[in-house]
Amino acid sequence: MRFLAAVDVGTTSARAGIFDVSGALLARAVSPIRLWMQDGQQAEHASQDIWRAVCTAMQAALNDSGVAPETVLGLAFDATCSLVLRDQNDAPLALGPDGRDTIAWFDHRAATEARTLTQANHPLVRSSGGAISPELQIPKLAWLRNARPDLWAQLGGAYDLADFLAYRATGRPARSASVLAAKWGWDAQTGWQDGWFRDAGLADMRHRAGLKSDVVALGAPIARLSAQAATDLGLTAHCMVAAGAVDAFAGALATLGPHKTRGLALIGGTSTCVMGLSRTPLASQGLWGPFYGTVLPDHYACEGGQSSSGALLDHVIRLYGNCEPSPDLHTALAREINDCLAQYGQDWGNEINVLPDFNGRRSPNPDPMARGLITGLSLESGRGSLRKIYWRTAVALALGLREIVSGMGKTGFDVSRLHLAGGHARSPLLVQTYADALATPLDVAAAQDTMLLGSAMLAATGAGLFDDLAAASVGMQQPHFSVAPEPAGVAARSRDFAVFCTLRQFQATLTRPEPERI
Ligand SMILES: Nc1ncnc2c1ncn2[C@@H]1O[C@H](COP(=O)(O)OP(=O)(O)O)[C@@H](O)[C@H]1O
Ligand SMILES: O=C(CO)[C@@H](O)[C@@H](O)COP(=O)(O)O
């Protein structure tokens, strides 16, 4: 009677799951989190609201599972790489009203700072694929210092969201080695690079952000739940909390594991993260990493990706469907599009072509100021036009993945079979389009919430139920189903890719916006 609890915080919801030691998900629950958006560039959460959603989801999952709380031995958190800011009294550092103290991962307010660090050829540039992304934590903290010196003076702690949740749960402000390496410029072999921070004018950053030496290896125990957190979550103070991960890294752990080294996982959610795992460091232009020990000990992980993928499909629904996206609407559109493809063939809608860089480009040629394109529009409106633009946006996301995956293949990753997880795995349309565009079979996670499974593996390791993380990732592995590319789709996506490459050249001639000081 030994169970594990896992939490995955995405962009718009917190998910909680209860697992058994074989990795089977017994129950899951979802609770929405608030996201305050302004002008498409700024996005904030409130950590208090996120904690409330985590507790609501965990209590509901536990209740549905029928598992006795005292039999839940371990808990771990994964989350988007959003930045939580606290003041010197450990209260929310007020970025805005309603307790907003968290800059969402895709917020680009630090574009100026990211560019300055890139131009100064800051050493982070190399592990950021050639250009520092405003989505990383160091440029965001530099923004705080430059744009809000009043808040900088009050700063008492800065956390990646997964680390903050573990702190909230235990009272110990430890940092996960995985999170620090992936998003903070910390290195497992050389530690903190204080010289870099000095160069970035952030000499006091570590002190202000509370970045001391309390670094815990991924999946290692941090502490048991505090009495208050145990009550809030519906668990007991006996439950051990393990060091967590950024969501895509938890997804890579769940899908790849030690036997699939050099494998690639596509984690498709609001963004798409292409995660590569290898025993030796593999690096190239446009890839974040290689980061040691971020998915498994003795392994390196690399990340390529698209900053807005699911977010772009949602945006298209808002723009051309004039309504709010929902899972049911995605499913209905996918069904209607498949009917059109069956009737008119794979070239249906190909007068419309899209470049998907609506929130900049992460890979393969990183450019946070890149913008999206849609060509071939007519005066058509209504459901017919939404269907077609949604379809061609899905194609564009798949072609963007082809660019990224092909580069990762040249870097040394095995691209003969890829793994897919995340919300996109729920869409048969996206799954087939990805397989066709990549001309590669996909292993698709059969169970929902692969990130939760990754966190459950971390929780099991922290609770001492496996010898190490590699054993947990093998012992808790879950089934997948395979989807093969279809010849007609492969041929059509190859034709599309030729147009996509032409549009890339055209895009390079267009004016890009300057970063705005917010
Ligand atoms: N049938 C579907 N159901 C739900 N989401 C879908 C579906 N098809 C595509 N999506 C996309 O998946 C995204 C949600 O993925 P998810 O992994 O839940 O997100 P995150 O972890 O980033 O919060 C949405 O933005 C949506 O555009
Ligand atoms: O940057 C990373 C992973 O490194 C993610 O946190 C970010 O892309 C957000 O992920 P989601 O698409 O919300 O799952």
Side-chain angles (χ1 to χ4, degrees):
M1 298 296 273
R2 301 174 308 171
F3 299 98
L4 288 322
V7 169
D8 164 47
V9 180
T11 302
T12 56
S13 65
R15 280 128 348 197
I18 303 294
F19 290 79
D20 69 18
V21 183
S22 76
L25 177 65
L26 306 183
R28 72 186 279 278
V30 182
S31 182
I33 60 176
R34 295 189 70 185
L35 178 68
W36 287 268
M37 294 274 297
Q38 275 175 55
D39 72 17
Q41 290 280 308
Q42 290 183 74
E44 292 166 0
H45 297 290
S47 63
Q48 198 57 32
D49 172 63
I50 294 175
W51 180 251
R52 182 204 46 74
V54 165
C55 294
T56 304
M58 183 55 75
Q59 289 187 16
L62 193 63
N63 200 34
D64 286 356
S65 72
V67 154
E70 59 278 13
T71 59
V72 178
L73 303 187
L75 165 67
F77 298 93
D78 71 77
T80 64
C81 53
S82 300
L83 178 67
V84 182
L85 301 168
R86 309 290 288 179
D87 72 12
Q88 284 156 14
N89 299 314
D90 202 15
L93 190 73
L95 290 166
D98 308 306
R100 282 187 244 169
D101 61 352
T102 303
I103 304 179
W105 61 272
F106 61 93
D107 181 306
H108 278 195
R109 71 184 67 192
T112 307
E113 284 72 19
R115 186 159 77 173
T116 306
L117 291 169
T118 300
Q119 285 169 347
N121 203 18
H122 189 271
L124 256 187
V125 171
R126 215 174 324 115
S127 61
S128 304
I132 291 188
S133 166
E135 294 170 17
L136 294 175
Q137 313 303 19
I138 292 173
K140 282 192 170 117
L141 285 167
W143 168 83
L144 188 72
R145 187 210 49 197
N146 294 344
R148 295 297 307 270
D150 54 326
L151 294 182
W152 180 253
Q154 296 170 47
L155 183 67
Y159 301 81
D160 234 83
L161 182 52
D163 279 346
F164 176 75
L165 292 170
Y167 168 44
R168 188 78 174 71
T170 61
R172 177 176 164 191
R175 310 300 176 119
S176 158
S178 171
V179 169
L180 290 186
K183 302 292 170 186
W184 293 76
W186 178 86
D187 182 86
Q189 278 126 357
T190 52
W192 288 109
Q193 311 296 309
D194 286 326
W196 300 2
F197 293 133
R198 253 196 322 277
D199 296 348
L202 286 165
D204 56 344
M205 186 196 88
R206 280 185 58 203
H207 166 69
R208 289 227 171 263
L211 297 166
K212 309 210 173 75
S213 329
D214 192 3
V215 181
V216 180
L218 181 65
I222 293 179
R224 296 192 192 277
L225 282 174
S226 69
Q228 183 60 54
T231 306
D232 292 350
L233 292 162
L235 299 170
T236 71
H238 183 61
C239 179
M240 179 60 77
V241 178
V246 173
D247 47 10
F249 291 75
L253 173 66
T255 42
L256 294 175
H259 301 313
K260 293 184 191 143
T261 68
R262 295 195 171 231
L264 285 189
L266 313 179
I267 312 291
T270 306
S271 62
T272 297
C273 302
V274 187
M275 306 299 298
L277 192 62
S278 58
R279 280 195 174 274
T280 52
L282 298 176
S284 73
Q285 163 82 7
L287 293 185
W288 294 348
F291 302 122
Y292 182 76
T294 45
V295 174
L296 278 174
D298 304 327
H299 287 70
Y300 294 83
C302 263
E303 176 177 357
Q306 297 171 322
S307 180
S308 59
S309 59
L312 180 53
L313 294 171
D314 291 347
H315 182 65
V316 162
I317 288 175
R318 286 195 191 95
L319 213 56
Y320 294 97
N322 201 20
C323 61
E324 271 307 298
S326 68
D328 285 349
L329 183 50
H330 281 284
T331 304
L333 280 168
R335 205 174 318 109
E336 292 166 29
I337 290 165
N338 271 329
D339 290 346
C340 291
L341 295 173
Q343 193 172 352
Y344 304 113
Q346 283 286 336
D347 287 329
W348 173 68
N350 73 354
E351 70 278 12
I352 295 173
N353 288 283
V354 179
L355 286 188
D357 311 325
F358 282 57
N359 197 40
R361 187 170 55 241
R362 284 184 180 176
S363 315
N365 296 306
D367 181 358
M369 302 313 291
R371 289 295 176 261
L373 278 181
I374 306 182
T375 66
L377 294 176
S378 70
L379 288 176
E380 187 184 7
S381 62
R383 186 78 170 196
S385 109
L386 170 62
R387 218 179 274 142
K388 219 179 251 180
I389 296 172
Y390 183 99
W391 159 236
R392 297 302 294 173
T393 303
V395 168
L397 293 172
L399 300 174
L401 282 180
R402 176 169 166 153
E403 262 185 327
I404 297 167
V405 167
S406 137
M408 292 179 88
K410 288 181 195 134
T411 307
F413 288 103
D414 174 8
V415 297
S416 62
R417 177 172 284 274
L418 305 177
H419 305 267
L420 176 68
H424 299 200
R426 294 200 292 275
S427 165
L429 177 75
L430 288 179
V431 173
Q432 190 63 54
T433 308
Y434 290 166
D436 292 347
L438 298 166
T440 304
L442 292 181
D443 286 343
V444 185
Q448 245 181 339
D449 285 329
T450 303
M451 282 23 90
L452 273 184
L453 173 63
S455 277
M457 292 169 175
L458 299 174
T461 310
L465 304 187
F466 289 90
D467 286 346
D468 56 25
L469 196 48
S473 88
V474 172
M476 296 175 73
Q477 204 63 238
Q478 291 301 292
H480 55 256
F481 59 92
S482 292
V483 173
E486 287 174 358
V490 173
R493 301 298 74 82
S494 281
R495 289 190 287 279
D496 287 334
F497 192 63
V499 179
F500 188 89
C501 294
T502 306
L503 283 184
R504 277 275 182 246
Q505 287 163 12
F506 174 59
Q507 183 190 37
T509 68
L510 297 174
T511 305
R512 291 137 67 263
E514 283 299 302
E516 278 170 38
R517 163 58 65 227
I518 291 165

